[in-house]
Amino acid sequence: MTLLRTIRSVFTINSRKYSSNLQIKKPPKILITGGLGQLGVECAKYLRGKYGRENVLLSDIIKPTTEVFNDGPYIFADILDFKGLQKIVVNHRVDWLIHFSALLSAIGEQNVPLAVRVNIEGMHNVIELAKQYGLRIFVPSTIGAFGPDSPRNPTPNITVQRPRTIYGVSKVHAELLGEYYYYKFGLDFRCLRFPGVISSDPPGGGTTDYAIAIFHDVIRKGRYECYLKPDTMLPMMHVRDALRALSEYLEAPNEMLQRRVYNVTSMSFTPEELADRMVKHLPEFQITYKPDSRQEIADSWPQVFDDSEARRDWNWKPQVDLDDLVKLMVKEVKEKIAANGF
């Protein structure tokens, strides 16, 4: 009986310790840079729902809308100002850094020197910041990190890359630098290569953004002129899946991760296939095709993304297919246009 009592006593004490550890575990304090770009605002909303409004700090160099400002903490942060970034991390006791600041593919080609500063020098600053303060850092990459020498269907996680846009070059640089800091300094660097991310926000200058612009133009004007050929297949993902992938990957224990950089995707489709699905919801619209310089970029990118390693290592699985994406976009874009009064 004495031994039994001792075992019960030890079990009770250990259980109390375990329970108290669960109770005192605090959510991470998260800083998002480039927060008014393609993913930032939606990412902040998503993570605030999980970790609390005050624990997600949105930042950019642009004045936010009233809605964004009222939604949660927002501050000015210039990724080219290292001392300013240090001050933010110290004053706000930041634990995780999500680095969205970047010029996208088509915009970057129009201003290469600025893209080098923002995409490359900015990356140097945030990764050194993360190393200095022991932060977990997430940097998104892209299908644009691949080039014409890469296998396109499917594109595996590890293969030749050699992109031909400054955006793609800067993302390969970020991937390799982050992996180097992980192996050299033990930095908790994490990166996902996203496909085209589709949301109801207006297009932001990416080559895959035709799949956003088509909904805005068709709903507003009843027609759309596509800058890619009708049979141009590219990998895509609704923003819901993108944010869920980001969140699940950030939470995954390090011991589960065999890589620091993973492909993720939901589907692949062409402009013609997307238009065919849209007809079910918007029966009368016109689509024409006038390929421009973005066609050359798209022709160098993956057609089908192989994300089997993400599925294997941290159980990634998309939930939004093409039919779901079209339904969501029609509904969300209509709501956004109505709310903005145009």
Side-chain angles (χ1 to χ4, degrees):
M1 291 297 292
T2 304
L3 178 60
L4 184 59
R5 285 197 198 99
T6 304
I7 291 171
R8 284 175 176 165
S9 176
V10 170
F11 179 78
T12 303
I13 291 168
N14 286 339
S15 295
R16 285 172 183 162
K17 284 181 180 177
Y18 180 71
S19 297
S20 81
N21 285 340
L22 284 179
Q23 289 169 2
I24 64 172
K25 185 178 179 181
K26 293 181 180 178
K29 193 69 177 284
I30 304 168
L31 172 65
I32 301 174
T33 67
L36 297 187
Q38 186 181 22
L39 282 176
V41 172
E42 291 301 317
C43 182
K45 288 179 181 177
Y46 186 88
L47 295 178
R48 283 167 181 161
K50 293 190 76 168
Y51 301 118
R53 183 179 182 272
E54 299 303 314
N55 288 315
V56 180
L57 196 61
L58 195 63
S59 73
D60 211 314
I61 59 171
I62 305 168
K63 184 178 178 181
T65 63
T66 301
E67 180 185 1
V68 170
F69 186 78
N70 290 337
D71 198 48
Y74 182 92
I75 59 170
F76 175 91
D78 180 356
I79 58 161
L80 299 177
D81 176 11
F82 187 74
K83 281 195 172 294
L85 294 173
Q86 286 179 304
K87 186 176 180 180
I88 291 168
V89 169
V90 170
N91 288 351
H92 295 275
R93 298 179 57 80
V94 171
D95 302 303
W96 293 0
L97 174 57
I98 297 175
H99 179 56
F100 283 149
S101 297
L103 265 65
L104 300 183
S105 56
I107 300 296
E109 291 306 292
Q110 295 168 20
N111 194 336
V112 172
L114 182 60
V116 168
R117 290 198 71 210
V118 173
N119 295 12
I120 296 178
E121 293 177 31
M123 176 64 188
H124 290 174
N125 279 344
V126 297
I127 202 161
E128 188 60 32
L129 186 78
K131 169 179 164 281
Q132 186 176 107
Y133 292 101
L135 310 180
R136 177 172 295 181
I137 180 170
F138 175 86
V139 179
S141 189
T142 167
I143 55 171
F146 297 94
D149 297 321
S150 308
R152 300 184 66 208
N153 188 356
T155 303
N157 212 82
I158 301 296
T159 189
V160 63
Q161 293 184 253
R162 304 188 69 81
R164 292 189 182 174
T165 66
I166 190 59
Y167 176 60
V169 168
S170 70
K171 288 301 184 181
V172 173
H173 166 268
E175 293 177 15
L176 295 177
L177 189 66
E179 287 186 341
Y180 173 78
Y181 268 64
Y182 169 73
Y183 289 112
K184 177 74 173 179
F185 304 113
L187 177 69
D188 191 350
F189 168 81
R190 304 183 183 211
C191 176
L192 293 179
R193 295 190 191 110
F194 286 117
V197 176
I198 311 304
S199 76
S200 61
D201 289 334
T207 300
T208 57
D209 279 359
Y210 84 84
I212 299 174
I214 189 172
F215 287 95
H216 285 266
D217 282 10
V218 165
I219 289 170
R220 287 167 52 209
K221 300 182 293 187
R223 63 185 183 277
Y224 177 66
E225 183 176 89
C226 185
Y227 51 77
L228 298 180
K229 295 176 184 176
D231 61 350
T232 305
M233 179 175 286
L234 291 167
M236 299 286 185
M237 170 181 271
H238 189 267
V239 67
R240 287 189 185 181
D241 271 347
L243 295 177
R244 191 171 53 80
L246 184 156
S247 177
E248 290 177 4
Y249 181 46
L250 271 172
E251 291 177 345
N254 258 314
E255 55 268 22
M256 291 176 64
L257 307 179
Q258 296 187 35
R259 303 202 183 279
R260 309 315 296 182
V261 181
Y262 288 94
N263 295 348
V264 288
T265 191
S266 295
M267 68 198 87
S268 289
F269 56 77
T270 67
E272 191 171 49
E273 288 170 340
L274 178 60
D276 287 345
R277 300 298 178 94
M278 289 176 64
V279 167
K280 298 175 185 177
H281 304 272
L282 302 161
E284 294 184 10
F285 75 88
Q286 293 180 326
I287 181 167
T288 55
Y289 298 93
K290 189 178 180 182
D292 63 17
S293 59
R294 287 167 284 193
Q295 183 66 51
E296 186 177 353
I297 296 174
D299 287 342
S300 72
W301 283 1
Q303 295 177 318
V304 175
F305 228 15
D306 177 0
D307 61 0
S308 57
E309 294 195 3
R311 294 170 185 251
R312 176 197 68 199
D313 290 358
W314 45 278
N315 302 316
W316 159 245
K317 187 178 180 182
Q319 294 178 349
V320 180
D321 63 17
L322 181 53
D323 286 328
D324 294 331
L325 183 145
V326 170
K327 289 177 191 173
L328 285 167
M329 284 295 288
V330 169
K331 175 178 177 291
E332 292 167 357
V333 172
K334 281 182 176 179
E335 290 172 351
K336 182 147 289 187
I337 290 173
N340 293 336
F342 62 86

